[in-house]
Amino acid sequence: MIYQSNSITVAYLADGIAEFTFNAAGSVNKFDQQTLADCRAALNLLHADKNLKGVIYTSGKDAFIVGADITEFLGTFQQPEAELIPWIKSASDVFDLAEDLPVPTIAAIRGFALGGGFEWTLAADYRVADTTAKVGLPEVKLGLMPGFGGSVRLPRIIGADGGMEWITTGKERGADAALKEGAIDAVVAPEKLKDAALSMIKDAIAGKLNWQKKRAAKLQPLKLNKIEAMMSFNTAKGMVFANAGKHYPAPMVAVETIEAAARLDRAGAVALENASFAKLAKTTAAAAQIGLFLNDQLIKGKAKKAAKVATKDIKKAAVLGAGIMGGGIAYQSALKGVPVVMKDIADKALELGMGEATKLLNKQVERKKLDAVGMAKVIASIQPTLSMEPVKSVDIVVEAVVENPKIKGAVLKEVEELVAADAIITSNTSTISIDSLAANLKDPSRFCGMHFFNPVHQMPLVEVIRGKDTSEETVAAVVAYAARMGKSPIVVNDCPGFYVNRVLFPYFAGFSKLVLDGADFAKVDKVMEKTFGWPMGPAYLLDVVGLDTAFHCTDVMAAGFPTRMGKVENDPVALMYQAQRYGQKNGVGFYAYSKDAKGKPKKDSDAVSYDLLAKAGASGVEFSADDIIARCMVPMINEVIRCLEEGIVASAAEADMGLIYGLGFPPFRGGPLRYADTIGLANFVALADKYAHLGEIYQVTDKTRAMAASGAVFYPV
C-alpha cells in the first residue's frame, strides 16, 4: 500500500504500475476539500517513488467521480473574489500535480465522470471508458465554468471548437460519442475495462504509445493561427449570445477565457481560468443556479423517501376526463411504465386524448428517444374507454374533468363506490378546495389533490395537495407516483389556489392595476420577459392560460381572500372575457393570434384590445422598467412569503422550485425568495412600502419586516 485515506487508496497493481482508486465512504465519489488534500498527499508520494512506472486511475464505485461537492460551494463563495482565486488555484494545482507525474497515466472511466471528475481524467495522458460511461463539463448549469483546468485541457485535446461547445452547453456525452470527438481514447465492455487500462499503460511504458507527445499538447498554447482563432471565437460568442443571453454570464466568460488563454502555456491559461471561475462564483446567477441544484436535490430526496415509506404500490392508474390535459397525463403515466385507463363520457374527447398521446409519442420517435416498438408498447398501455368498468381494478385515480365543484364532486363520489377500498383518489383541480371536494367522499383519508401543469409533458411540477383528512400514506404514494412519472412533486396544504395559482393571481392583479393606470401591456410584457427574464409576460401568459379560465379562477381567489384578492374594478381580464376574447384558444385576447409558417401561434398587436382598455382606465402613461417589475413582482413575492409563513408550502426551497417548475420563474434569479435575499430584505421592504398605497397585495407581513430589521434571510448559508 502506497497511500490510504477515507476517500482514496493507492497500491501497486503490477510491476511499477500503481492503481489510484477513488472510493469515498458515501454512495458516490466527489471532490471535496478533504479528498483534494488526500489526492495531493498521495501524488506527492508518487512523485517521490523511484520504482513508479505508470499510474491507472480507477473507481471503487459504479461511477468514476460525479463532480465537486456542491454543498461546500455557497459558503465558500461568500469570500471576497481576491480570496477565492488562491482557493481555486490550490485545487487546480492538485490536477497539475497529477498531470506532471513523471510516468504515463491513464483514467479507467465507468459510469459518470462529470465536472471535476472529468477534469481529473483530462489530466491523465489517456482515457479508456466502458460502455456505461457518461462524461462532460456541466459547470455552466451552475452559473460557473470548469475550475480545475478543464477549460485549458479539453480544447487542447479535442480542439477549440469542440471544447467550447462542450463547456458552453454543459451537455454530457456517452462513451461512443466522446470517443468519436477524441475526448476518450478507447471504449470497451465493462468487464474488460481494467484489463484494457492495464494493457494501454504497459504499451505506454514500453514506448509503443507516445504519451509524452499527448501530454505536451496540453501544456502548450492552442494550435490556431490568427484567422482560425478569430473565426472560432467569434462564432462561439455569437452562438453563446443567441442561446444563453445576457442573464447567464458563465458561457460567455468561458469563451472569453479560452480565447484569452489561447496563446498561453498551461500555467498562464490555468491562472486565467482561476480568475474567471472566481469572478463567476461571485455572480448572483451562480448563487441562484447552485441554489436551484441543491433545492432540486431536496425535492428528489423527499420523493425517494416517499417511495420507500409508501405502503400502496401504484401498478395501474386511471384518468377520468380525456382531452388535452387527460391525454397528457395518460401519456406521461404510460411512458414511464404505469399502464393507464383513460375514461370519458364522449368518444370525441377520447379521440382527442389519444391523439394528444400519439402526437407526443411521434415526437419522441422523431427525436430518436423512442423506437416504433416502444411507441406501440406505450400506446397499448393506454386504454381509452366510455365505461367505468375498467376503472374498478386501478390503484390510483386522477380525476381531470371540467373545473366545476359540483361535477367533480359527483364524479369523485361515483368513483369511490367503484374502486377498491385501498385505491387512492386524486383531483387534478387547479383552484377548488381539496377539503370541499373531500366532503363528497366517505373516506377522505385516501383523497388529495394532484395538480398537473399544462403542457403536462413539458412542465416538471406536480402539486400534491394535502387536505385536512388526507393520510400521510396517501401523500407518500401520490408523491412516489408523480416522481415515477418523471415529475418533481411538491406537497402543499389546501387553500384557495393552493400554492402556485394562489401566488400567481396577485401578480396578475398587479399587472391589471398597472394597465388601468395607463401602462401599455405589450411594454409590460417586454420588460418582464427581456429585463426580468420570464418566458412570457403577464398579458401573453393570460392569453395562453385562457382569459375565460383566469376570469373564473378570479372568483375563487376573491372568495378565499376577499380583502387582498377582491376583484379589481374594470379588471382588464374581465373586460377581455366579457368581449369574448379568451386568448390563444379563440384567436383574440390581449393580442390577436394567427399561425406562422410552421403552424405555431403567432401573436400580433390588436387595436381592439387597446380600445377596450382605453375605455376602462388611463392610457399612454410611461412607466420605467423598475416600476413595472416592482408593481408586478412585489405582490407575488409577498404572497409567496405568506404561503411560507402559513405553512401552505413547507420550505423556501420548495416555494422557489414550485414557481420555477410550475410557472417558469427565471432560473437565473433562483426563485422568488432567493431573489428577495439577493436584493436584500430591507431593500425589498422599502420597495414594497413605496407602493403600499396601491393595496394590501403590496403590504409586507409583520414577520417580513422583522426579518428585514434583523438582517435575516430565507437561505442562511
Side-chain angles (χ1 to χ4, degrees), residues 327-555:
I329 297 171
Y331 157 83
Q332 196 67 33
S333 183
L335 182 70
K336 297 299 182 179
V338 180
V340 60
V341 174
M342 185 169 63
K343 196 270 175 192
D344 205 282
I345 58 173
D347 273 322
K348 190 174 181 180
L350 290 175
E351 289 171 7
L352 186 61
M354 289 304 296
E356 177 70 7
T358 302
K359 180 185 75 175
L360 295 172
L361 287 166
N362 278 324
K363 286 183 179 178
Q364 293 279 339
V365 173
E366 287 171 14
R367 294 168 183 166
K368 297 185 178 178
K369 292 184 177 181
L370 199 66
D371 60 20
V373 174
M375 176 177 173
K377 184 179 178 181
V378 175
I379 288 288
S381 65
I382 303 175
Q383 181 184 356
T385 180
L386 296 172
S387 168
M388 287 293 272
E389 188 66 24
V391 178
K392 287 182 179 180
S393 61
V394 305
D395 302 301
I396 188 169
V397 175
V398 181
E399 169 274 304
V401 302
V402 64
E403 190 78 350
N404 179 299
K406 289 184 179 179
I407 296 173
K408 283 183 178 290
V411 170
L412 291 169
K413 186 174 183 180
E414 179 187 4
V415 81
E416 184 184 33
E417 298 294 330
L418 194 69
V419 297
D422 66 341
I424 292 167
I425 303 170
T426 72
S427 176
N428 179 46
T429 177
S430 56
T431 55
I432 302 169
S433 166
I434 293 302
D435 287 333
S436 68
L437 291 175
N440 296 280
L441 302 175
K442 293 176 183 176
D443 180 11
S445 71
R446 60 165 165 166
F447 175 69
C448 70
M450 194 176 189
H451 181 204
F452 291 85
F453 291 76
N454 212 5
V456 174
H457 68 286
Q458 287 183 342
M459 301 302 287
L461 182 67
V462 171
E463 275 185 302
V464 177
I465 305 107
R466 181 197 288 115
K468 63 182 178 62
D469 296 316
T470 306
S471 71
E472 288 307 311
E473 291 82 2
T474 295
V475 170
V478 175
V479 166
Y481 175 52
R484 188 172 172 186
M485 291 174 77
K487 298 301 177 185
S488 296
I490 292 175
V491 179
V492 302
N493 286 320
D494 189 30
C495 70
F498 317 130
Y499 171 59
V500 174
N501 280 338
R502 173 174 161 178
V503 303
L504 179 60
F505 275 84
Y507 172 76
F508 284 153
F511 162 71
S512 290
K513 290 173 183 285
L514 192 57
V515 171
L516 291 174
D517 285 346
D520 179 348
F521 66 81
K523 181 182 177 183
V524 173
D525 274 1
K526 185 176 180 181
V527 168
M528 297 310 293
E529 291 167 6
K530 302 297 184 185
T531 304
F532 193 78
W534 282 101
M536 299 179 194
Y540 189 20
L541 179 58
L542 281 161
D543 276 0
V544 170
V545 168
L547 288 150
D548 53 340
T549 301
F551 175 78
H552 292 304
C553 289
T554 301
D555 290 334

Side-chain angles (χ1 to χ4, degrees), residues 70 84 184 205 234 384 395 437 493 504 583 594 613 631 689 701:
I70 306 301
L84 282 175
I184 285 173
I205 293 168
N234 286 346
D395 302 301
L437 291 175
N493 286 320
L504 179 60
S594 57
L613 296 171
R631 289 190 59 168
D689 286 347
T701 66

Side-chain angles (χ1 to χ4, degrees), residues 697-709:
I697 57 174
Y698 290 93
Q699 294 161 13
V700 301
T701 66
D702 291 340
K703 187 174 179 181
T704 306
R705 201 173 291 280
M707 284 179 68

